[in-house]
Every structure is written in structure tokens, then in C-alpha cells.
Amino acid sequence: MSANPFWPYDLSRPFDERSPLATLAWDQHARMAEFARAAARAAAERPPPDDEGDSAMEATVLAAIDADQLQSLMSLLDDAEVVLGAFTEEELAVVDPPGESPLVPLPLLDLLPEGDARDQLLASALRSLLARGLVAVGEEPGQLFATGALSTVLAVRGGPNSVLIVEHVEEDDPSRVVVYGFPVATERGVEVLLMEESVAPLGHHEFVLRSVEGQAAALAEWLGAGPSAAPLGNGHAAGGRLVRARLDAALDQPRAITRLYAMRRDDDGTAGDGEFSEAELTLADGGPHGRWMVLFQEGDDRNEGILAVPVESLDLTAFFAGLLRLDLGPFNAALAAG
């Protein structure tokens, strides 16, 4: 077991560095690490679909999604989700080599140093993909193409327009989900195809395609369960002081924290620095002190503002549907009502 029981979800410390804290601490665990935010922005800066509607991602292999296939997928996702299957860390690394700060960590592969053993592991992964027909040999020497579900995974993963990172931090039970948003031109206008990538405890990555509404419902089901809290009062006088006391107690030593970072590329992504819309929130589980959705606001060098609402005041499905679109309307409505 690693010295850091939250790794790789406590991104402020490496796996072999022991935390000085015995329990979760707000100042250590509440914010997404800057290099994770930077990795999300870098992923969305890759070239968008070309004029023919195909998206190509070139790494070790080539991958593309046909425009007609995308439109058919969007119609299917109105009523269902599409499970693309699972791939191991080494399979993903051999077809899409990770950068210095990958968006999705590869903790098991990272434990293996560069050298013959690592090369042999990656070679075995490539042979497995070839044997299963998920990678095909092209006409040119050394040319490889992803096919089927792997082609869809690489194309969406390699050219998203938006990214949502969800990290649930709880001792002995950390989990991480990345949701990629991919714009698709349909007869109904431009819609968003979402692909969820989740990391299983044994290190393999699972991929599912969903609509915005389907993904919002999945996130709400995952994160919606929690302790019920007593009424918080009307927000005035003694009721207001109670709200503040419970919030402070919940943030002082939370039982679990779920970090949420959403970003969307607002320019065409073709050149120069990207222009992004961003939102960062944390769902703090304070046990008997309630569960709180906290929105971080920009502040000066000495202070950072937060806005918080009790989770029970939110329609979580509507909240996540808004967050996937970078729309905080449901959060603001709950804040105003409180």
C-alpha cells in the first residue's frame, strides 16, 4: 500500500510521500491540483474536427469517427448509453502515449521505470490489441489504425471541446471520472456527445458514451447518496448562525470530498493560447453537519471567496446537466432560495 492512501486522487502529493494528516483536511484536499486543470485545458486545445466532420488523433496509431456514425450515435443516446468497454493502462499508453502530466493518471504503469521490462509490457499490449482486431496494420510500413470501440475512444479522448474532472477523495476508497465533451453537428443543431472515462481499482479504464442528460443522471446517482440533515432554518438570525456553524464544522474535518472541475474551450482551438470557461466546485460530506456544494470564486492574493449551498437544496441531475454545459443556473437558484 502506498504511503499516501489517497493517491493518485490526492494530487498534491506523490504516492510515496506520507501525508502528515491523519484525516481529510479541507485545505489539502478541496482544490483540484493546478497541473490537473492544465492537463484538461491542454486536452481541449487539440485540433477540432476538420471540414468533413472527421476527427483524427495521431499518436502511435490513427483514429477517426465518421460524421454519419456520430449522428447515429446522438440519436441512440437519446434513450440509451453505449458501453465501449475497458482497456488497460498499458493498452492506452501504447496507442496514446501520455504526456508529462496526463489528464488521467496511470498509477500502475508509473511504478514501472523506463527500460526493457516496460517496453516488453507495452509490446504485449499492442499485440493483444492487434489480435483482438482493435488495431489494424495500414498499407504503409509502421502505419497502424485503431478500429471499432478503440477508434471512438481515441478520437473523443484526443479532441474534446470540454472536460469535466470528478475526483471523489475518501480514505481507502478514492475514485476518479473524466467526462469528455465532443461537439456533433446533427439535424437538430450542434449537440454534445459525452464520453465518461472511469479508472477501476485494478487500473483498467472503462468508457461509456452518454447524452448530457444521461451523464448528469449517472453522476447524480453516484454522488447523490449521503446522510440526511436536519432543517437548516430560514437563513436569518439564529437560523443563519446555525447554517454558518454547520458549514464551518463540515469543512473543518470532512468525511469525504468530491472535487469538480469543468472547463470548455471557447475559441476555435486552432492556434495560440486557448480561451476557456471554467468552474470549480467541491462537494463536502460533513457527516452529521450535512453535505455542502461549494463554489470557488476568484479572490485577491490573501482571500478566496466561496459560496455554499446544502446538497439537499439542489436537484443534482439538473445541477450536473448545467455543469456539463458550464451553466451554474441550478446552483445560483439554490443559493438565492437560501
Side-chain angles (χ1 to χ4, degrees):
M1 183 175 178
S2 67
N4 176 2
F6 307 105
W7 187 81
Y9 309 100
D10 173 9
L11 298 177
S12 64
R13 296 174 182 274
F15 76 97
D16 57 351
E17 181 179 330
R18 183 173 297 279
S19 172
L21 304 173
T23 60
L24 283 172
W26 177 254
D27 58 350
Q28 180 182 5
H29 293 284
R31 298 301 303 270
M32 192 74 64
E34 173 53 35
F35 66 79
R37 293 193 290 264
R41 294 190 290 266
E45 283 183 327
R46 299 184 186 185
D50 60 27
D51 294 338
E52 296 181 357
D54 294 336
S55 172
M57 191 254 6
E58 181 173 355
T60 303
V61 300
L62 301 176
I65 302 180
D66 181 78
D68 292 336
Q69 178 189 0
L70 283 173
Q71 293 179 11
S72 299
L73 276 174
M74 294 308 300
S75 299
L76 178 62
L77 294 177
D78 287 342
D79 303 309
E81 63 183 29
V82 176
V83 178
L84 297 176
F87 299 93
T88 64
E89 289 185 9
E90 54 269 30
E91 287 173 338
L92 291 173
V94 77
V95 296
D96 187 10
E100 185 173 335
S101 297
L103 178 57
V104 181
L106 305 175
L108 300 181
L109 193 62
D110 288 343
L111 295 176
L112 195 63
E114 297 287 346
D116 291 342
R118 185 186 180 102
D119 292 342
Q120 290 173 6
L121 183 65
L122 295 178
S124 296
L126 180 58
R127 288 196 298 271
S128 175
L129 293 172
L130 286 164
R132 286 146 55 198
L134 292 167
V135 171
V137 179
E139 296 180 359
E140 300 295 328
Q143 190 178 61
L144 300 172
F145 290 92
T147 65
L150 181 60
S151 181
T152 302
V153 166
L154 294 185
V156 176
R157 205 175 186 243
N161 178 260
S162 64
V163 173
L164 170 65
I165 303 175
V166 183
E167 290 181 339
H168 180 75
V169 184
E170 186 173 359
E171 188 171 8
D172 298 327
D173 188 28
S175 50
R176 190 176 213 259
V177 163
V178 175
V179 182
Y180 307 86
F182 195 88
V184 178
T186 71
E187 294 179 352
R188 299 177 291 192
V190 178
E191 300 182 67
V192 180
L193 170 70
L194 295 177
M195 183 177 75
E196 177 190 285
E197 177 176 0
S198 58
V199 184
L202 295 180
H204 62 274
H205 296 222
E206 300 172 345
F207 297 89
V208 182
L209 297 178
R210 296 189 178 101
S211 65
V212 171
E213 290 71 22
Q215 184 64 51
L219 291 171
E221 182 179 359
W222 174 32
L223 299 174
S228 58
L232 292 171
N234 59 11
H236 300 287
R241 289 193 294 272
L242 176 61
V243 169
R244 179 67 195 209
R246 288 189 177 179
L247 174 60
D248 288 345
L251 302 188
D252 182 53
Q253 199 172 83
R255 292 183 175 181
I257 282 177
T258 305
R259 298 187 287 241
L260 305 167
Y261 171 72
M263 58 76 54
R264 181 187 64 225
R265 190 184 67 229
D266 293 330
D267 60 2
D268 60 10
T270 56
D273 295 334
E275 298 177 4
F276 302 100
S277 295
E278 299 175 283
E280 185 172 1
L281 303 99
T282 288
L283 192 163
D285 183 348
H289 306 293
R291 302 170 79 228
W292 300 81
M293 188 68 73
V294 179
L295 171 66
F296 291 97
Q297 294 184 307
E298 291 186 5
D300 55 34
D301 294 338
R302 302 178 63 182
N303 297 289
E304 182 176 54
I306 65 170
L307 298 172
V309 298
V311 170
E312 61 263 25
S313 70
L314 286 171
D315 178 335
L316 280 179
T317 300
F319 167 78
F320 282 116
L323 186 61
L324 288 163
R325 298 184 174 100
L326 267 292
D327 175 9
L328 293 175
F331 179 90
N332 292 331
L335 188 67

